[in-house]
């Protein structure tokens, strides 16, 4: 692996930065909005509140820098031997993109269109906090061209939201989902977090009842992970809260899967369920299928033709680097064939479609036999598919395959 931490990505005509393997598959753009109204205790994402930023950065300075970065990236594509690909997916995440308001998100999409061509059937998603949305917000972003909304619900239990430091009221996420559908969005996702200290089975059932009542066509459910450096981690370390219990997490996952499956939502990735094939998040499938994407914004990661780079994290430094010219990268790496293989196994193993056995090395196919014997996977044609039990132990399955 070649890595140059803390240095600018070389210009595309440099011998160190050759995108000769790029092209042919879906191409997405991820936009990172680093702003949040408050900091949630469990979150370790690259986000900042207004108080943390002070006068060093603002949505306006971020927007100007984003336009500059996208223009620079478009020039990079212009120097490739193949034509610039059409953008099949755009995903605006964060942070809290809905803090930009409907007009602000429309401006983000205009900035993408200024330098890139969107495919006619492009999937265009924004994450949103239910508290910073309204019927007019959804109408505005639908008019702007967004096709999909992902709402952070986490839980319908007020005491669970308090532990997570979430500020929205328990019913607001469901109301927001209904408002999005009324505005013309066919594809609406609700995010759940399960296993929060103090959450009961009844709390989870109430959350699932609310999700299903909202009529969404996509649900993401993630077990709570206590990340180092977060306020939640400090509370667990001090003994104020218990750490999530693995057995409880497994039971909760099975409960979620059973309820969603009974309602017609089928898992297609370990933590994601969709009502139809068209409801699946194509942008995230691009990550899991080893696709190419450009990440723009502070701390965003990109992957193009086996080259990965990541931007500087702080919004003010990001804007400064863009003004200097070039891409605002903190470092980059050229993935070896072995590393690309490892990542492919790690990601595609989590998909319902599974791993092609032909893509595994001989020793890995022997390991696959052990995984099958343990009841964690089955052979279906030329693919290795996780069983229900295998989904609970997906990380262990991957470790077995790769060792």
């Amino acid at each position: 692996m070649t890595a140059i931490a803390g240095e600018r990505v070389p210009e595309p005509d440099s011998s160190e930065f050759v995108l000769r393997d790029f092209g042919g598959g879906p191409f997405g753009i991820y936009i990172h909005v680093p702003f949040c109204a408050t900091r949630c205790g469990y979150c370790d994402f690259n986000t900042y509140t207004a108080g943390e930023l002070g006068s060093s950065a603002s949505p306006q300075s971020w927007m100007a820098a984003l336009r500059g970065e996208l223009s620079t990236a478009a020039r990079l594509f212009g120097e490739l031997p193949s034509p610039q690909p059409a953008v099949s997916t755009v995903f605006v995440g964060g942070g809290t993109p809905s803090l930009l308001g409907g007009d602000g998100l429309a401006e983000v999409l205009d900035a993408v269109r200024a330098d890139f061509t969107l495919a006619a059937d492009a999937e265009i998603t924004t994450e949103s906090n239910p508290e910073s949305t309204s019927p007019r917000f959804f109408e505005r972003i639908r008019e702007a061209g967004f096709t999909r909304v992902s709402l952070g619900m986490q839980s319908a239990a007020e005491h669970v939201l308090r532990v997570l430091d979430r500020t929205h009221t328990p019913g607001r996420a469901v109301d927001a989902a209904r408002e999005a559908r009324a505005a013309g969005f066919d594809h609406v996702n609700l995010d759940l977090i399960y296993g929060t200290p103090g959450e009961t089975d009844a709390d989870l059932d109430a959350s699932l009842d609310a999700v299903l009542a909202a009529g969404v066509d996509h649900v993401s459910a993630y077990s709570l992970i206590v990340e180092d450096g977060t306020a939640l981690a400090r509370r667990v370390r001090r003994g104020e809260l218990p750490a999530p219990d693995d057995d409880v997490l497994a039971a909760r996952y099975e409960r979620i899967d059973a309820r969603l499956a009974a309602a017609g939502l089928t898992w297609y990735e370990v933590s994601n369920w969709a009502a139809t094939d068209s409801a699946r998040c194509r942008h995230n499938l691009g990550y899991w299928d080893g696709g190419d994407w450009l990440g723009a914004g502070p701390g965003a990661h990109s992957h193009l033709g086996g080259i990965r780079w990541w931007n500087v994290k702080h919004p003010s430094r990001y804007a400064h680097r863009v003004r200097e010219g070039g891409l605002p990268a903190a470092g980059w790496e050229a993935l070896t064939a072995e590393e690309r293989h490892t990542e492919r196994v790690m990601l595609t193993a989590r998909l319902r479609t599974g791993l092609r056995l032909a893509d595994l090395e001989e020793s890995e196919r022997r390991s696959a036999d052990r995984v099958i014997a343990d009841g964690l996977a089955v052979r279906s044609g030329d693919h290795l598919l996780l069983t229900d039990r295998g989904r609970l132990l997906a990380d262990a399955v991957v470790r077995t395959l790769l060792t």
Side-chain angles (χ1 to χ4, degrees), residues 217-235:
D217 66 347
H218 192 287
V219 177
S220 299
Y222 304 102
S223 63
L224 179 67
I225 297 175
V226 180
E227 301 285 1
D228 289 342
T230 62
L232 180 63
R234 291 189 290 273
R235 295 184 68 187

Side-chain angles (χ1 to χ4, degrees), residues 94-266:
T96 310
S98 50
L99 285 179
L100 300 177
D103 289 342
L105 283 170
E107 188 176 357
V108 169
L109 195 49
D110 286 343
V112 173
R113 289 191 180 108
D115 289 295
F116 293 88
T117 301
L118 298 183
D121 63 345
E123 174 195 87
I124 305 172
T125 304
T126 184
E127 294 180 334
S128 298
N129 185 318
E131 290 296 331
S132 52
T133 63
S134 66
R136 180 54 192 152
F137 168 84
F138 292 117
E139 291 166 2
R140 180 69 183 95
I141 64 173
R142 188 71 189 93
E143 292 166 357
F146 284 84
T147 66
R148 188 173 180 277
V149 172
S150 181
L151 293 158
M153 176 178 171
Q154 281 69 56
S155 175
E158 188 171 3
H159 70 97
V160 173
L161 294 176
R162 282 199 302 270
V163 172
L164 296 173
D165 293 324
R166 295 290 296 185
T167 58
H168 65 269
T169 54
R172 176 57 201 153
V174 171
D175 290 342
R178 289 171 174 156
E179 291 166 3
R181 292 186 64 82
F185 282 94
D186 294 326
H187 304 308
V188 180
N189 171 65
L190 283 173
D191 274 351
L192 290 176
I193 292 178
Y194 60 94
T196 301
E199 180 190 61
T200 65
D201 286 347
D203 292 330
L204 180 60
D205 286 341
S207 297
L208 292 167
D209 289 342
V211 165
L212 297 176
V216 297
D217 66 347
H218 192 287
V219 177
S220 299
Y222 304 102
S223 63
L224 179 67
I225 297 175
V226 180
E227 301 285 1
D228 289 342
T230 62
L232 180 63
R234 291 189 290 273
R235 295 184 68 187
V236 170
R237 189 168 57 248
R238 291 193 297 263
E240 296 175 14
L241 295 170
D245 181 273
D246 288 343
D247 290 337
V248 171
L249 292 177
R252 295 271 161 81
Y253 179 87
E254 291 175 331
R255 200 179 193 96
I256 291 167
D257 184 54
R259 286 288 307 277
L260 295 180
L265 284 90
T266 303

Side-chain angles (χ1 to χ4, degrees), residues 41-91:
Y42 63 92
C43 179
D44 70 340
F45 293 165
N46 186 43
T47 62
Y48 306 84
T49 64
E52 290 168 338
L53 288 173
S55 60
S56 68
S58 68
Q60 293 74 29
S61 64
W62 169 84
M63 187 69 237
L66 177 69
R67 287 186 178 277
E69 183 185 8
L70 290 171
S71 295
T72 298
R75 288 197 296 275
L76 181 154
F77 281 105
E79 298 189 27
L80 295 177
S82 56
Q84 183 192 105
V87 178
S88 57
T89 63
V90 177
F91 195 105

